[in-house]
Amino acid sequence: MKKLEDNISFKISGMTKLTITFATCLVLSMVLLLPSYNISNLHKSHLTTTGGLLATGFDEESCLSRYHQSSLRKPSPFKPSTNLVSKLRSYEMLHKRCGPGSDAYKRATKRLGNNNVINSNGDDCQYVVWTPMFGLGNRILSMVSVFTYALITDRVMLVDQRNDIADLFCEPFPGTSWLLPLDFPLTDQIDNFNRTHSHCYGTMLKNHTVNTTTRPSHLYIDIFHDSRDHDKMFFCEENQAFIKNVPWLVVKSNLYYAPSLWLIPSFQTKLIKLFPQKDTVFHHLSHYLFHPINQVWGMVTRSYNAYLSRADEVLGLQIRVFSTPAGYFQHVMDQIVSCTQREKLLPELATKGSQNITKTPRLKAVLVTSLHPEYSDELKNMFLERPSLTGEIIEVYQPSGERVQQTDKKVHDQKALAEIYLLSLTDKLVTSTRSTFGYVAQGLGGLKPWILYEPRHNKAPDPPCVRAMSMEPCSLKAPISACQAETIKTTPFVKYCEDRITGIKLVDEL
């Protein structure tokens, strides 16, 4: 009997040990799987909030902003169309097949280097090279325009990397690079491409050297605020029929010229399919293309967590003074206060005995971006010296105030990019007239800002500001060709800008 009891005890003990061992393994496996589950969920959540806009297959740690923006940014109410998502996936395949290092790229560059004229249709891969011009805002706007053109013409966009592009943004296309290789055959010539160059398309039209029997291996396209009439003919249907067979285009621009592409009939049909909500072009494509590198994203997250995350509401103020010399002016300060108080963006100051005292006052953070810190200092002092009429607590924060724009200086451009992204995270936004910095922030954030009119004769204008018709940037001094003069009259979703009568912008149909 004793032997039987010992045998039963042994079996029970063995079963207990087995149960404990199994439970321990189960817990350990759950702990080990937890990080990957969280990362998987993070990726899944991010892809859901972007409507499938972004491709998978990237390493999260190498570009945190690609997956972490959704943790700071409210979900966008503007969802990309299925046609746009499908087009982006097919573009990624095209870029991988034709991009740097591919056999197609090697063939295309070899032909480019060996002769100047080709016959009829050229190679199976075609390219458009973006080159950086002017300040950071202009560059981002022109790059989105080039990419829009690349999408609707099935070209591969490559970007000139000789400035600081790799110090600002992660690679946007999976399994390939958007950087133009430094050994590109035309690299030494790109800086000399101008309106007098023999391959400038506008100059070729002017000199009547364009013919339909041969095609140049490359063309330089000039799209600036002061482009000539012949340069603007790039936006004519009949000219695009010629250009579509030229394998290499090199584009220089300081404009957001995407609205002009909508005035080309054959392009308009394609663009409407991709962007049924017309005023979402920049919003979707900027979210697809631009992912700040980890160093820049660190600047964004540290500032946001330290100064903006606790607020019930965040107001962005982007102040750009175009006068010479620039600096702090009382009439500009008066205009800012007048606009923000008239539009109920900031509360008025309380008089004695008029303050609305609440037990749990709302906190409103004001993010100011300006080269001149005096504007934020003045605003901060206003709400320190006197309470607000509503009882709200107003906290003013300005990340930097460097007084002078320093384009092409790495750290300066990184700070500028971080501030653009911080502005895009605000709930409401006030921008300065014709400021590309503000245009980029509003497009990224999906915000319709209040635009400060440009002061005249050192006086604050009345009214001080106007609400934007859409979140789309303005194409300042738009390159409208004579062939588009009638088209724009009959295109309801292309309007003249609120802050620039010579500019046009996309709006959703009214």
Side-chain angles (χ1 to χ4, degrees):
M1 187 70 180
K2 181 74 166 63
K3 187 175 181 180
L4 178 63
E5 288 176 354
D6 289 343
N7 193 29
I8 292 171
S9 175
F10 173 78
K11 288 182 178 180
I12 293 173
S13 176
M15 289 175 65
T16 302
K17 289 179 180 179
L18 181 63
T19 302
I20 292 171
T21 302
F22 176 77
T24 302
C25 290
L26 181 62
V27 171
L28 283 172
S29 66
M30 290 175 67
V31 170
L32 289 171
L33 287 172
L34 192 57
S36 62
Y37 170 80
N38 285 342
I39 291 172
S40 174
N41 269 8
L42 179 62
H43 290 195
K44 184 178 179 181
S45 171
H46 183 65
L47 292 174
T48 302
T49 57
T50 59
L53 193 69
L54 303 185
T56 57
F58 289 96
D59 173 42
E60 180 193 351
E61 294 299 322
S62 66
C63 188
L64 297 172
S65 66
R66 186 189 306 277
Y67 295 102
H68 292 192
Q69 283 196 49
S70 56
S71 65
L72 303 185
R73 194 183 298 284
K74 293 178 181 177
S76 173
F78 312 104
K79 302 304 178 186
S81 69
T82 54
N83 285 329
L84 176 59
V85 172
S86 176
K87 185 65 177 177
L88 290 173
R89 297 295 86 83
S90 63
Y91 174 83
E92 289 158 5
M93 294 173 62
L94 174 69
H95 198 110
K96 193 169 184 178
R97 178 170 65 86
C98 300
S102 67
D103 290 340
Y105 174 83
K106 292 173 185 175
R107 289 195 303 271
T109 52
K110 186 176 181 180
R111 292 179 183 178
L112 180 63
N114 288 344
N115 59 51
N116 293 323
V117 178
I118 62 170
N119 294 320
S120 63
N121 293 326
D123 197 69
D124 58 340
C125 291
Q126 295 183 305
Y127 303 84
V128 56
V129 176
W130 172 86
T131 52
M133 302 298 293
F134 289 68
L136 181 61
N138 298 85
R139 295 178 180 189
I140 292 174
L141 294 175
S142 67
M143 197 191 298
V144 170
S145 301
V146 167
F147 187 62
T148 304
Y149 182 77
L151 281 182
I152 57 179
T153 58
D154 295 317
R155 288 181 179 270
V156 172
M157 182 184 77
L158 298 175
V159 303
D160 188 345
Q161 62 171 306
R162 291 175 299 158
N163 289 79
D164 57 3
I165 189 71
D167 296 320
L168 296 173
F169 299 112
C170 306
E171 292 273 6
F173 311 130
T176 184
S177 177
W178 68 344
L179 300 178
L180 182 71
L182 294 174
D183 61 357
F184 178 61
L186 300 180
T187 295
D188 293 338
Q189 300 180 42
I190 288 177
D191 292 338
N192 295 322
F193 280 158
N194 55 41
R195 293 169 194 173
T196 64
H197 198 280
S198 60
H199 278 266
C200 176
Y201 184 57
T203 299
M204 292 173 68
L205 289 173
K206 184 179 179 181
N207 296 338
H208 305 287
T209 56
V210 175
N211 64 71
T212 56
T213 58
T214 60
R215 296 290 189 273
S217 62
H218 66 280
L219 287 174
Y220 162 60
I221 309 298
D222 182 283
I223 309 174
F224 286 90
H225 63 283
D226 59 350
S227 288
R228 305 162 299 177
D229 289 341
H230 285 95
D231 297 310
K232 296 175 184 177
M233 291 177 70
F234 171 81
F235 296 97
C236 295
E237 188 85 64
E238 61 186 50
N239 296 88
Q240 283 298 323
F242 171 83
I243 291 169
K244 72 178 182 180
N245 292 322
V246 178
W248 287 93
L249 302 179
V250 178
V251 179
K252 290 184 180 180
S253 177
N254 65 340
L255 293 175
Y256 180 64
Y257 57 85
S260 294
L261 298 175
W262 286 74
L263 298 176
I264 302 173
S266 62
F267 287 5
Q268 185 180 118
T269 303
K270 296 177 181 179
L271 287 164
I272 288 174
K273 290 180 180 178
L274 297 179
F275 304 97
Q277 192 170 352
K278 317 296 189 304
D279 61 349
T280 60
V281 177
F282 186 86
H283 181 68
H284 289 320
L285 295 188
S286 62
H287 277 269
Y288 174 78
L289 283 177
F290 303 121
H291 308 284
I293 64 169
N294 288 350
Q295 184 176 350
V296 176
W297 190 242
M299 297 179 189
V300 175
T301 54
R302 285 190 294 274
S303 290
Y304 184 87
N305 291 330
Y307 300 100
L308 308 180
S309 61
R310 297 180 296 105
D312 297 295
E313 184 178 276
V314 181
L315 171 66
L317 282 179
Q318 184 266 325
I319 305 168
R320 177 68 189 270
V321 180
F322 286 101
S323 62
T324 304
Y328 176 83
F329 297 98
Q330 187 58 48
H331 67 272
V332 175
M333 189 69 221
D334 293 341
Q335 179 185 5
I336 294 166
V337 174
S338 175
C339 172
T340 53
Q341 291 186 341
R342 183 182 297 197
E343 301 297 332
K344 309 299 182 185
L345 302 173
L346 284 178
E348 296 182 16
L349 298 176
T351 57
K352 188 175 182 180
S354 65
Q355 183 184 1
N356 181 9
I357 300 175
T358 59
K359 290 183 179 179
T360 55
R362 292 180 78 248
L363 172 61
K364 178 173 285 189
V366 182
L367 172 72
V368 180
T369 65
S370 175
L371 291 172
H372 310 286
E374 293 88 350
Y375 293 102
S376 61
D377 291 342
E378 182 69 18
L379 204 58
K380 189 181 300 181
N381 290 335
M382 278 176 54
F383 289 101
L384 279 177
E385 293 168 1
R386 290 167 61 187
S388 67
L389 186 61
T390 59
E392 290 175 295
I393 303 299
I394 309 298
E395 289 187 356
V396 182
Y397 167 62
Q398 179 169 345
S400 68
E402 302 197 357
R403 299 192 178 278
V404 178
Q405 185 170 330
Q406 303 170 55
T407 300
D408 286 336
K409 289 194 175 181
K410 175 181 171 180
V411 176
H412 177 86
D413 283 349
Q414 288 181 335
K415 288 180 180 179
L417 181 60
E419 291 185 12
I420 286 174
Y421 268 80
L422 285 168
L423 282 174
S424 77
L425 297 172
T426 59
D427 299 300
K428 296 175 181 177
L429 181 63
V430 177
T431 62
S432 297
T433 183
R434 62 189 178 91
S435 172
T436 57
F437 194 98
Y439 290 159
V440 174
Q442 74 190 47
L444 276 168
L447 301 166
K448 290 198 295 185
W450 284 262
I451 306 172
L452 295 167
Y453 283 118
E454 188 168 3
R456 302 291 182 185
H457 311 298
N458 295 326
K459 291 183 180 180
D462 187 19
C465 57
V466 62
R467 187 75 186 272
M469 292 180 284
S470 75
M471 59 186 170
E472 274 285 300
C474 174
S475 178
L476 296 166
K477 200 90 184 278
I480 301 175
S481 176
C483 64
Q484 297 179 323
E486 292 302 317
T487 310
I488 193 171
K489 295 177 183 178
T490 58
T491 308
F493 44 82
V494 178
K495 301 285 187 184
Y496 288 99
C497 301
E498 309 89 345
D499 54 333
R500 192 72 169 178
I501 197 169
T502 58
I504 59 174
K505 69 186 301 184
L506 291 163
V507 300
D508 207 31
E509 291 181 70
L510 303 176

